[in-house]
Amino acid sequence: MSELALAPFAAAAPAKSRWRVMHAVAGKEWLELSRDRRLVWLSAFIVALMLAALAFGFVEDARLLHERDAAAKADRELWVGQSAKNPHAAAHFGQYAFKPLSPLSLADPGVDAYVGSAVWLEAHKQNETQFKQARDGGVGARLGSLSLAFILQTIAPLIVILMGFASFSGERESGTLKQLLSVGARPRDILAGKALALIGAIFALLAPAFIGAALALYFFVDRERLSLADQFIRLGALGAAYAVYLAGFAFLALGVSALAKNSRAALVTLLAFWLANSFLAPRLATDAARAVAPTPTWQEFRAGIVQDKAKTFGHDESHPGFVAFRDATLKKYGVTRIEDLPVNFRGLALRKDDESGYVIFDRHFAALQSSFDRQDSLRAASGFLFPLLALRPLSMAFAGVDSRSQFDFATAAEAHRRDIQNEVSDNIIHFAHDNAYVAGPELWRKIAAFSYRAPGAGFALGHSALPIAALFGWLALAVVFAAFAARRLRPA
């Protein structure tokens, strides 16, 4: 359809013509997009690439899930298969807590490859997660993996730019825009029609990927551990976030195209922004966040814990803290000798030392997570200008693979470690009569295996207010910019 064919609609009464103009412009844009075989084949390739990334993620997650389940089963067998020994020695023997995979990690792997998948639960010490996949991945792992999230965050905006950069500038060069404006079509109606076409194209790009993700979820989710409905809510939130992200690029492309002198200038400008958003801004924002909210090195972090732990008595019976606790315990029970206590003093001392350590671990690990949260907030704060900074934390949060989800798992693992410590200390307190006391397999079986249920979508939503506001701010700015650019269109 030519622009002159829109003249009857533009000349009609405003109340009747606005929707007709928008509909006609959108139809004309769709027709031109479908006739551009380069864009059609490129879009088809991107859709195929997204589906391939989903399939790879599904297979990889199935493999990892099988390995972790097998490792958890083997670790449980080792724990319950221990020989008779002192319960405290069993606590030092320890066990592992394995992090269950988030089903949506098949779309966005997030930080999982870099933070580890298991925690060793041992006496007197809260450990970090171990077995990081990236550590064994070589240089390729540092460059990132081809995931659905990467394609939608980086490549899809480029496709939207290629679809929209010549929307106004191309018609200005051919003279059709002047003809349309001269017959009375309103610039905002033309903008709305072109935006409808581009947003429709965006949904056409997103639909196959998210339908594929929904099917993968249906077959992948372990309904005994997770709620399928909750996973679909998370997927819906992801779809909405990516739709807002790409819609902003559509309006940005239309605005730049309306202002640019020619299509080449529009394309160069949009490509410069795409490069800044995709590669430059994330790097600079990360460096700035680290400078403003620095985190300690692993050595500094552990040194701080060791320094505070030195103030507790541990196994040192000459420590002032031990002496004070011993005297307070004797006074509490009204005896003068440890041997006269109705309970085992060693078990009491172990429990007291553990409780002192819990306070130390909570303070240091919470401070570390607080630094990570501040860095995340600082990066997301610029998301209304560079939307990838807002989209990335949202994507990871709703996929269940962000730092807060990791911290929630680590907190649950630490709670289980403390349950183990309390169980073995209580056993010593009430059953040990001398230092030769040993417990048997019945105690090991009594201590339950680690079980973790990931928080629901509300958890992700509750910690995503800033990136959500930034992402919608980006869309609002892009819409305002496009409307401003459209108002400057003139027939002459």
Side-chain angles (χ1 to χ4, degrees):
M1 179 185 296
S2 69
E3 298 291 351
L4 290 176
L6 300 175
F9 300 135
K16 297 180 180 180
S17 66
R18 291 192 61 186
W19 171 248
R20 292 182 177 181
V21 170
M22 289 187 288
H23 183 269
V25 170
K28 176 253 183 191
E29 291 292 316
W30 262 106
L31 184 61
E32 289 190 351
L33 288 174
S34 63
R35 286 177 175 175
D36 190 334
R37 294 304 175 188
R38 294 170 299 180
L39 279 178
V40 170
W41 282 108
L42 185 58
S43 299
F45 173 73
I46 297 304
V47 169
L49 194 62
M50 288 191 290
L51 294 177
L54 268 179
F56 174 78
F58 180 83
V59 172
E60 181 68 7
D61 280 9
R63 180 186 67 82
L64 291 174
L65 181 63
H66 174 74
E67 289 180 356
R68 293 185 191 182
D69 285 345
K73 181 179 179 181
D75 186 70
R76 180 64 181 175
E77 291 175 354
L78 284 174
W79 172 260
V80 299
Q82 295 179 88
S83 58
K85 63 178 68 172
N86 185 279
H88 188 62
H92 275 288
F93 178 79
Q95 58 180 261
Y96 276 96
F98 292 91
K99 182 184 179 183
L101 276 174
S102 170
L104 281 169
S105 64
L106 60 86
D108 189 342
V111 302
D112 276 10
Y114 303 94
V115 296
S117 58
V119 181
W120 183 31
L121 312 177
E122 61 172 322
H124 310 310
K125 186 178 181 182
Q126 180 174 349
N127 291 310
E128 299 85 3
T129 48
Q130 304 175 30
F131 310 123
K132 302 177 178 64
Q133 297 174 48
R135 183 170 293 172
D136 301 321
V139 176
R142 299 188 186 99
L143 298 176
S145 59
L146 183 65
S147 63
L148 177 62
F150 174 80
I151 296 170
L152 290 176
Q153 292 169 11
T154 306
I155 302 178
L158 185 60
I159 302 301
V160 175
I161 287 172
L162 293 177
M163 289 179 177
F165 79 94
S167 291
F168 285 104
S169 57
E171 293 182 0
R172 183 186 294 112
E173 292 165 347
S174 65
T176 55
L177 180 61
K178 177 181 178 180
Q179 294 173 351
L180 180 58
L181 292 172
S182 64
V183 297
R186 297 180 180 182
R188 61 184 180 182
D189 296 338
I190 302 173
L191 172 66
K194 291 179 179 294
L196 281 174
L198 276 182
I199 291 172
I202 288 170
F203 278 100
L205 278 176
L206 291 178
F210 280 88
I211 291 173
L215 291 173
L217 278 184
Y218 183 81
F219 292 106
F220 186 72
V221 170
D222 183 348
R223 290 166 176 78
E224 294 181 0
R225 297 180 181 178
L226 295 168
S227 164
L228 182 61
D230 180 76
Q231 295 302 312
F232 278 120
I233 291 172
R234 286 175 174 269
L235 181 63
L238 284 175
Y242 280 103
V244 170
Y245 175 70
L246 295 176
F249 273 95
F251 281 102
L252 178 68
L254 292 172
V256 171
S257 182
L259 290 179
K261 294 181 178 180
N262 51 60
S263 297
R264 177 174 295 183
L267 181 60
V268 169
T269 302
L270 290 166
L271 288 179
F273 178 82
W274 173 78
L275 287 170
N277 176 73
S278 301
F279 303 104
L280 184 60
R283 180 72 263 178
L284 293 178
T286 297
D287 291 342
R290 286 176 177 172
V292 175
T295 54
T297 64
W298 182 88
Q299 291 83 357
E300 292 170 342
F301 179 71
R302 274 297 161 192
I305 292 177
V306 170
Q307 184 178 0
D308 286 347
K309 283 281 287 179
K311 300 173 184 177
T312 63
F313 51 78
H315 295 295
D316 181 7
E317 297 185 3
S318 64
H319 194 284
F322 181 90
V323 175
F325 176 70
R326 181 196 63 196
D327 294 344
T329 302
L330 293 175
K331 182 178 180 180
K332 175 183 177 181
Y333 286 95
V335 297
T336 57
R337 298 189 313 155
I338 289 177
E339 292 78 8
D340 296 330
L341 288 170
V343 292
N344 184 279
F345 178 73
R346 182 169 182 266
L348 291 173
L350 289 170
R351 185 171 65 184
K352 176 62 176 178
D353 185 61
D354 281 331
E355 289 172 350
S356 299
Y358 298 158
V359 177
I360 294 170
F361 292 133
D362 287 346
R363 182 170 65 251
H364 282 272
F365 278 90
L368 182 63
Q369 183 60 36
S370 179
S371 295
F372 290 146
D373 292 342
R374 286 184 63 199
Q375 289 183 355
D376 291 342
S377 296
L378 289 168
R379 281 191 292 265
S382 300
F384 68 97
L385 291 177
F386 299 103
L388 185 58
L389 299 177
L391 177 67
R392 188 170 286 170
L394 268 182
S395 180
M396 292 192 294
F398 282 105
V401 290
D402 61 333
S403 66
R404 278 197 168 272
S405 299
Q406 181 71 12
F407 185 65
D408 186 79
F409 158 72
T411 301
E414 173 62 9
H416 185 67
R417 185 187 76 85
R418 296 178 185 185
D419 288 342
I420 296 172
Q421 294 301 114
N422 293 337
E423 192 74 42
V424 298
S425 294
D426 287 345
N427 184 271
I428 295 173
I429 290 169
H430 297 293
F431 297 101
H433 302 292
D434 53 52
N435 291 333
Y437 171 71
V438 296
E442 65 280 357
L443 176 60
W444 321 142
R445 287 192 293 269
K446 182 181 177 182
I447 296 173
F450 174 71
S451 178
Y452 174 70
R453 188 176 182 89
F459 176 84
L461 181 63
H463 296 100
S464 300
L466 180 57
I468 289 174
L471 191 62
F472 277 96
W474 146 254
L475 177 60
L477 281 177
V479 171
V480 170
F481 170 69
F484 167 78
R487 289 183 62 182
R488 295 174 62 87
L489 294 173
R490 295 291 184 269

